Amino acid sequence: MKKIVTLAGDGIGPEIMTAGLEVFDAVAQKINFDYEIEAKAFGGAGIDTSGHPLPDDTLAAAKTADAILLAAIGSPQYDKAPVRPEQGLLAIRKELNLFANIRPVRIFDALRHLSPLKAERIAGVDFVVVRELTGGIYFGQHTLTENSACDINEYSASEIRRIMRKAFAIARGRNKKVTSIDKQNVLATSKLWRQIAEEVAKEYSDVTLEHQLVDSAAMVMITNPACFDVVVTENLFGDILSDESSVLPGTLGVMPSASHSESGPSLYEPIHGSAPDIAGKGIANPISMILSVAMMLRDSFGETAGAEMIEHAVNKTLTQGILTRDLGGLANTKQMTAAIIANL
């Protein structure tokens, strides 16, 4: 039996977590997948129960889990809290060594009209952004005085090597192309980044490696996004570019993500926020959460059939014109979830 820790969090988090688990249970019955759920407080909910967004018992449970599902965290009521909900997310990434953030970018045919790009620009778009998540400038030394500030961006060869291997392994199962993004014409960390990328590429002779400077890559992601297969980059650049790529489908409501460690449990979550303005209204789009469940089935448990079952059901539901309000439709959270289950 597999243990899955759920972190419903704040805002619409509990609503979409319920939806995701309903779909998960329906699929589990079809593929005979045996599991147990352990729900824990996290984010603002953690602050309410223990005074910290990552309570000790939540972290302990996460460390012993086979996989972790996170819905959403954050609320305006915690804006002035001594420790904000978002700090819990940084803490769990560090504690579990979740060094690789994976964001697939796919355009659903039924939602093409929502993209800000012309139809011909997004034709064939299907790529993955692999972001290094526990190193770089976010985790370096930060110094702030009245007249100056300094943020240290530091990477070791081993940190770069492991994220590169993750990207190449993913590419090997796709179209066998890796685009490594850096700023090697200026930054020392990027010079090392490119050097290690070339070294790792020799381990994957069947995968093609190309390099792009981050400013050029940002433009190509808008002008010709279909040219990418697997994009790999450091923490800061990955933060920016993964958010840029998230607008290509025209909505955050259909995009899942995963964060992996080298040997411990992985964490799966929607890329959108907690949407406190619609929390409790029952109108949140659950698709990102549901597709995060599909990623979990495939990546953590090797249940490819179950993952594909969910993805096909989501696509069929959208093709049928069943859309939540953020997608221009009238379906509420329960109706969308029920439709996806019916299409499994």
Side-chain angles (χ1 to χ4, degrees):
M1 179 179 290
K2 300 299 183 181
K3 173 185 170 183
I4 298 163
V5 168
T6 60
L7 310 174
D10 315 313
I12 62 171
E15 300 167 65
I16 62 172
M17 180 64 77
T18 296
L21 292 180
E22 286 178 358
V23 173
F24 181 34
D25 187 62
V27 172
Q29 292 182 44
K30 292 179 180 293
I31 63 174
N32 296 316
F33 183 77
D34 196 15
Y35 71 97
E36 62 177 353
I37 297 293
E38 186 173 354
K40 290 293 181 180
F42 187 65
I47 295 174
D48 290 343
T49 59
S50 70
H52 193 278
L54 179 56
D56 291 342
D57 67 322
T58 298
L59 178 58
K63 286 182 175 180
T64 60
D66 292 298
I68 304 159
L69 288 174
L70 167 63
I73 58 169
S75 174
Q77 74 188 82
Y78 304 107
D79 285 349
K80 296 183 179 180
V83 182
R84 291 170 56 93
E86 293 79 8
Q87 289 173 269
L89 188 56
L90 290 176
I92 199 169
R93 286 173 179 171
K94 184 175 182 180
E95 289 287 343
L96 299 181
N97 196 22
L98 299 173
F99 74 95
N101 181 244
I102 315 298
R103 283 195 186 184
V105 180
R106 174 190 174 194
I107 311 296
F108 287 96
D109 287 340
L111 302 181
R112 284 180 178 274
H113 64 285
L114 296 178
S115 177
L117 301 188
K118 295 179 179 179
E120 57 268 28
R121 285 275 172 88
I122 59 171
V125 169
D126 181 1
F127 63 91
V128 177
V129 178
V130 179
R131 168 190 171 191
E132 202 292 321
L133 201 58
T134 56
I137 201 165
Y138 292 163
F139 290 88
Q141 181 180 345
H142 306 285
T143 305
L144 175 64
T145 68
E146 184 177 350
N147 297 310
S148 67
C150 179
D151 299 292
I152 303 298
N153 186 29
E154 185 174 4
Y155 269 109
S156 67
S158 59
E159 287 177 313
I160 299 171
R161 189 169 289 110
R162 68 180 180 179
I163 194 67
M164 283 294 169
R165 285 174 173 158
K166 174 65 74 172
F168 274 86
I170 292 173
R172 180 170 272 174
R174 290 174 48 87
N175 295 320
K176 295 183 171 56
K177 177 184 174 184
V178 169
T179 303
S180 176
I181 295 175
D182 58 41
K183 191 63 176 173
Q184 70 89 31
N185 57 338
V186 177
L187 302 178
T189 48
S190 284
K191 295 181 191 303
L192 180 62
W193 184 275
R194 187 168 291 204
Q195 175 189 320
I196 299 300
E198 293 285 353
E199 292 176 7
V200 172
K202 295 176 183 177
E203 302 173 16
Y204 297 84
S205 58
D206 56 326
V207 178
T208 300
L209 169 66
E210 69 172 14
H211 301 283
Q212 283 199 20
L213 298 177
V214 63
D215 41 356
S216 172
M219 291 187 287
V220 173
M221 197 165 281
I222 296 301
T223 58
N224 186 25
C227 76
F228 294 118
D229 179 28
V230 174
V231 172
V232 60
T233 189
E234 56 115 279
N235 208 341
L236 175 61
F237 298 159
D239 191 4
I240 296 167
L241 292 177
S242 61
D243 281 354
E244 181 186 6
S245 69
S246 71
V247 307
L248 297 178
T251 173
L252 300 181
V254 297
M255 296 189 68
S257 75
S259 296
H260 301 299
S261 67
E262 288 186 270
S263 58
S266 297
L267 184 149
Y268 302 87
E269 61 178 316
I271 72 164
H272 58 68
S274 59
D277 56 319
I278 62 169
K281 297 182 179 180
I283 59 173
N285 184 348
I287 290 179
S288 290
M289 187 76 248
I290 291 168
L291 291 178
S292 294
V293 169
M295 286 189 76
M296 177 186 70
L297 279 168
R298 177 181 286 110
D299 295 352
S300 284
F301 304 123
E303 295 286 354
T304 302
E308 291 180 349
M309 199 179 295
I310 292 175
E311 291 161 350
H312 292 158
V314 168
N315 187 54
K316 184 175 180 180
T317 301
L318 295 174
T319 302
Q320 291 170 335
I322 300 172
L323 308 170
T324 46
R325 296 186 187 185
D326 60 308
L327 304 179
L330 298 174
N332 60 31
T333 309
K334 289 184 178 180
Q335 290 168 338
M336 174 60 82
T337 304
I340 291 171
I341 291 173
N343 282 325
L344 286 174

